Amino acid sequence: MASVRHIRLAYNSAYLIESGGERVLIDTGPDYRGAREVLAAVVAESPPGLVVATHGHLDHAGLGHWWQEQGIPVALHGEDMHYSTGHQLDDDELQALEGFVRESGAPTDVEREALAGLAARRAWARQAVETRDYRPAGRDARWPTGLRYEPFEPRRVLTEEVTAIAPGLRALVAPGHTPGNLVAFAEEEGWLFSGDQLLPEITPTPAIQRFQSAPGAPWRFRSLPRFLESLQRIRGLDATRCYPGHGEPFERVTDVIDANLGQAEQRTTRVHEALRENGGATLYELAEALYPRALRKRFWQIISTVQGHLDVLEEAGLAATSGGRWAAR
Ligand SMILES: [Zn+2]
């Protein structure tokens, strides 16, 4: 029987699993002032043989560099390497995102605000990668200090659908939240280590993420359809207990998955209905019809949500786009 130790690191939860005589840590932990000390005590007491980052975001993989300095290899999926190597929001991706905003049909002033927001996000991401000092706490103050993200090349790059990471413990590819998102599953116990794929309180909306822009043909990862497919696949595991990347472990895993899937389905239906009433609308016009008051203030969140559901509808053959305008099918 495997055992789990829950390591709380500010807003994040990492889990030290012992299974079949081997130890694996799920998620590196975020790099804020004091986090390394907490983890150094873990290393002194019961060092893991491997650290698996569920995905490349800085609060889940931000201490990858440090772990490898301790001589402990970090595994990350190949599709998330652009995060850990410091290439998130590089010129290519930024350019593709700017193109996305322009094509959304947003009025000029909204477009300007959205692009400024993007520039700020990039500056923030760059700072986490480049700074050697801990920054003051951010506005949301979920971490005692701002996060750092020292770039690193993971010693184990995962590419398979399923990878054994310890006896009785597998890493499964679950794209959506990020392109190379992973969950871990302890088969015998029915324990799911869900990262950001499944959280007790919120349904995470996968963001618009475009990170490849071939000349003239920018390619966008369709995050929401992939996220929902991953959720369906994870449902099939019949997990009995979930250890999420944020918050406390919970049971009734299938109920939480069904609630998430149900909520997504309702939203897809709403977007489909709005599309029927506003045939020929741009992405922005559609978002405005659905969220008239909040759109301006929460542009990226709302535009990501609406685009995600349009992707779902398009893949189901229920919506089509031509020249930046959307229509129901
Ligand atoms: Zn994340």
Side-chain angles (χ1 to χ4, degrees):
M1 186 80 178
S3 67
V4 183
R5 179 171 156 199
H6 185 171
I7 302 166
R8 291 177 180 80
L9 293 156
Y11 179 56
N12 277 69
S13 292
Y15 301 98
L16 185 68
I17 308 163
E18 218 167 316
S19 183
E22 290 180 23
R23 271 188 226 111
V24 174
L25 183 72
I26 302 297
D27 279 337
T28 71
D31 191 4
Y32 60 89
R33 191 185 289 117
R36 291 169 185 227
E37 285 74 7
V38 173
L39 294 170
V42 173
V43 173
E45 239 174 76
S46 39
L50 178 70
V51 179
V52 177
T54 55
H55 59 290
H57 284 161
L58 83 174
D59 53 330
H60 297 261
L63 276 167
H65 184 270
W66 181 83
W67 278 107
Q68 295 198 152
E69 254 176 19
Q70 316 305 304
I72 298 166
V74 174
L76 180 69
H77 193 276
E79 295 285 337
D80 269 22
M81 290 243 316
H82 59 293
Y83 292 107
S84 83
T85 51
H87 294 290
Q88 184 201 1
L89 281 177
D90 60 10
D91 290 345
D92 247 19
E93 187 177 12
L94 194 73
Q95 220 184 349
L97 276 162
E98 285 171 359
F100 176 84
V101 177
R102 288 201 187 95
E103 286 157 30
S104 74
T108 323
D109 51 337
V110 176
E111 184 186 308
R112 209 179 309 120
E113 267 175 37
L115 295 183
L118 209 53
R121 211 163 84 198
R122 173 174 155 115
W124 190 80
R126 288 258 70 84
Q127 209 189 358
V129 167
E130 283 159 13
T131 185
R132 288 289 152 266
D133 303 314
Y134 290 104
R135 291 166 295 132
R139 247 180 314 166
D140 62 3
R142 287 186 294 192
W143 293 278
T145 55
L147 298 185
R148 293 179 42 185
Y149 196 167
E150 240 173 284
F152 72 100
E153 295 272 348
R155 244 166 254 160
R156 269 185 81 177
V157 179
L158 306 187
T159 51
E160 305 294 318
E161 287 274 303
V162 180
T163 310
I165 49 173
L169 189 65
R170 294 174 298 162
L172 314 173
V173 176
H177 181 68
T178 60
N181 188 63
L182 301 165
V183 297
F185 187 60
E187 177 95 58
E188 200 189 320
E189 295 80 4
W191 295 341
L192 173 70
F193 300 85
S194 65
D196 279 351
Q197 171 77 47
L198 190 64
L199 298 171
E201 319 258 298
I202 51 163
T203 311
T205 311
I208 292 283
Q209 18 193 342
R210 258 184 176 186
F211 59 90
Q212 276 180 13
S213 94
W219 175 82
R220 183 170 56 81
F221 171 64
R222 289 183 160 36
S223 45
L224 188 61
R226 301 294 81 75
F227 178 83
L228 296 173
E229 279 167 10
S230 292
L231 215 45
Q232 286 283 9
R233 246 195 341 269
I234 287 164
R235 191 183 189 283
L237 296 171
D238 282 326
T240 52
R241 191 169 170 80
C242 178
Y243 294 87
H246 303 275
E248 296 300 311
F250 58 92
E251 271 131 36
R252 303 165 61 95
V253 183
T254 306
D255 290 350
V256 177
I257 293 175
D258 285 345
N260 282 2
L261 287 170
Q263 200 187 60
E265 206 180 302
Q266 269 178 24
R267 282 202 188 137
T268 303
T269 305
R270 272 190 66 201
V271 172
H272 195 210
E273 277 164 7
L275 202 55
R276 277 208 219 104
E277 286 160 21
N278 302 272
T282 62
L283 171 60
Y284 187 85
E285 286 164 351
L286 203 56
E288 203 172 32
L290 283 155
Y291 303 93
R293 276 192 298 205
L295 178 58
R296 184 121 192 194
K297 254 203 322 228
R298 292 169 31 221
F299 176 84
W300 279 107
Q301 190 194 347
I302 289 172
I303 230 68
S304 296
T305 301
V306 177
Q307 179 64 61
H309 290 283
L310 286 171
D311 290 344
V312 171
L313 289 165
E314 191 180 29
E315 290 191 6
L318 296 170
T321 173
S322 150
R325 301 201 163 266
W326 286 88
R329 278 266 172 92

